[in-house]
Amino acid sequence: MKKLINSPESVVSDALRGMAAAHPGLRVEAEKGIVTRAAGGAGEPAGKVALLSGGGSGHEPLHAGFVGRGMLAAAVAGPVFTSPVPDNIAAATCAVEAGAGVLHIVKNYTGDILNFTMAAEDCEDEGVEVAQVVVDDDVAVARTEHGPGRRGTGATLFVEKIAGALAEEGAPLAEVAAVARKVNANARSYGVALTSCTTPAKGSPNFTLGEDEIELGIGIHGEPGRERRKIMTAAETAEAMLDAVLDDLPEAAGAPVILLVNGLGGTPPVELYIMRAEVERVLGERGITVARSLVGNYVTSLDMAGCTLTLCRADEELLRLWDAPVDTPSLRWGC
């Protein structure tokens, strides 16, 4: 394993100390994994809903990179690929509550659901109103009555951006939660891996792919995908990924979409832009218009080579909120 780290045990706290140095407008408690807006503890404006998200580290810039005006009030980072503990989530929730309640945006993983739920219960015992929205956009995993169900992936960024914009407008907690659920209901994602990731604690790849193999439907922690195939061209890969997404996103044809072509950490921008071109071609052939798009590393899996595609059907409300100003370390426009 070759990584620019000091030790596997200090990866998260060391990275957060670096984030604090790079972004003095954030308040960072590195040992607790808590990142909030406004160094010095100014917190959220009175009467404004605060958004909080988090989860295991290794997916940067998700979530701490999206703390700032127009998105999150706070993010809580756990160990690599491991949920933060309830006490830290509760502490961050209370730190950013400004009298209008807090929205927890939680990716659909068992540990995250359990720990965020326990934290919310603790906060509510202290008089803090908390709403929870679960993101479960990964179509590689079927929705069932048993088990955790679909994983939360790229749509998390869409939920944080759009709900964050509505919160900035002063909307009440119920409305902010409702638009977050609307985004999740209209978003679908699918991922493909060319290589495994290597966690610092393990020091070796999480799984093995042959030199001529790719994994379709991979999870952002290296969870198994739907199938393995021989490596394909970018055009063939985009078609296979969009087949999976569009099979599960009815009524997409004729509606504008927001698109995320997301790198998993080990894929260079040139390849992501090739995928963006192929996605445009396939969607155009199917009568789907890309109204807005992002290309880059936003929801990563350490050093995994590959990408995810996320589509969100967008009406005028969602497009307006997407276009609203945002000012975070990793997403910024209109400021």
Side-chain angles (χ1 to χ4, degrees), residues 138-152:
D138 184 4
V139 301
V141 180
R143 282 199 174 103
T144 65
E145 295 180 1
H146 308 287
R150 289 181 172 170
R151 303 174 290 221

Side-chain angles (χ1 to χ4, degrees), residues 85-102:
V85 298
D87 284 353
N88 291 345
I89 300 169
T93 301
C94 292
V96 298
E97 202 281 327
V102 180

Side-chain angles (χ1 to χ4, degrees), residues 174-235:
E175 290 184 16
V176 176
V179 83
R181 295 188 180 102
K182 176 180 175 179
V183 173
N184 182 65
N186 283 280
R188 302 288 190 276
S189 296
Y190 194 78
V192 60
L194 281 65
T195 68
S196 173
C197 58
T198 298
T199 59
K202 184 179 179 183
S204 59
N206 284 12
F207 59 91
T208 302
L209 280 173
E211 288 296 320
D212 62 346
E213 290 182 321
I214 61 173
E215 182 99 3
L216 293 170
I218 197 72
I220 57 172
H221 305 101
E223 301 98 332
R226 283 187 177 181
E227 61 176 314
R228 290 191 179 185
R229 293 189 189 178
K230 297 299 182 182
I231 194 164
M232 303 183 291
T233 65

Side-chain angles (χ1 to χ4, degrees), residues 44-329:
E44 292 294 285
K48 175 181 172 298
V49 171
L51 271 63
L52 183 148
S53 193
S57 297
H59 306 304
E60 290 74 19
L62 196 76
H63 294 273
F66 301 131
V67 174
R69 183 163 72 93
M71 288 190 79
L72 299 177
V76 189
V80 172
F81 294 174
T82 303
S83 174
V85 298
D87 284 353
N88 291 345
I89 300 169
T93 301
C94 292
V96 298
E97 202 281 327
V102 180
L103 178 65
H104 283 178
I105 299 169
V106 187
K107 301 190 302 301
N108 191 33
Y109 299 97
T110 301
D112 288 356
I113 297 292
L114 289 174
N115 289 356
F116 273 85
T117 298
M118 286 190 285
E121 291 170 351
D122 290 344
C123 292
E124 287 169 346
D125 288 342
E126 299 298 321
V128 176
E129 185 180 6
V130 178
Q132 183 183 95
V133 171
V134 175
V135 182
D136 60 349
D137 55 305
D138 184 4
V139 301
V141 180
R143 282 199 174 103
T144 65
E145 295 180 1
H146 308 287
R150 289 181 172 170
R151 303 174 290 221
T153 58
T156 312
L157 184 155
F158 291 170
V159 172
E160 292 174 358
K161 170 63 187 78
I162 290 172
L166 190 60
E168 289 290 346
E169 294 179 356
L173 181 59
E175 290 184 16
V176 176
V179 83
R181 295 188 180 102
K182 176 180 175 179
V183 173
N184 182 65
N186 283 280
R188 302 288 190 276
S189 296
Y190 194 78
V192 60
L194 281 65
T195 68
S196 173
C197 58
T198 298
T199 59
K202 184 179 179 183
S204 59
N206 284 12
F207 59 91
T208 302
L209 280 173
E211 288 296 320
D212 62 346
E213 290 182 321
I214 61 173
E215 182 99 3
L216 293 170
I218 197 72
I220 57 172
H221 305 101
E223 301 98 332
R226 283 187 177 181
E227 61 176 314
R228 290 191 179 185
R229 293 189 189 178
K230 297 299 182 182
I231 194 164
M232 303 183 291
T233 65
E236 294 166 335
T237 303
E239 289 166 2
M241 296 176 77
L242 287 170
D243 281 344
V245 170
L246 295 174
D247 282 350
D248 207 281
L249 193 63
E251 303 172 12
V257 298
I258 303 171
L259 165 69
L260 171 63
V261 179
N262 172 67
L264 289 171
T267 300
V270 64
E271 295 178 27
L272 296 179
Y273 279 110
I274 292 170
M275 287 296 294
R276 175 66 179 85
E278 295 301 336
V279 168
E280 184 78 16
R281 174 185 61 80
V282 175
L283 292 179
E285 292 171 354
R286 303 187 187 189
I288 299 171
T289 300
V290 178
R292 308 287 188 275
S293 71
L294 288 176
V295 179
N297 290 298
Y298 293 98
V299 185
T300 62
S301 182
L302 292 171
D303 55 349
M304 183 184 289
C307 71
T308 62
L309 300 180
T310 303
L311 294 181
C312 179
R313 290 178 299 203
D315 58 17
E316 290 184 5
E317 177 191 34
L318 298 190
L319 290 175
R320 180 183 67 80
L321 293 170
W322 179 261
D323 290 340
V326 59
D327 188 5
T328 73

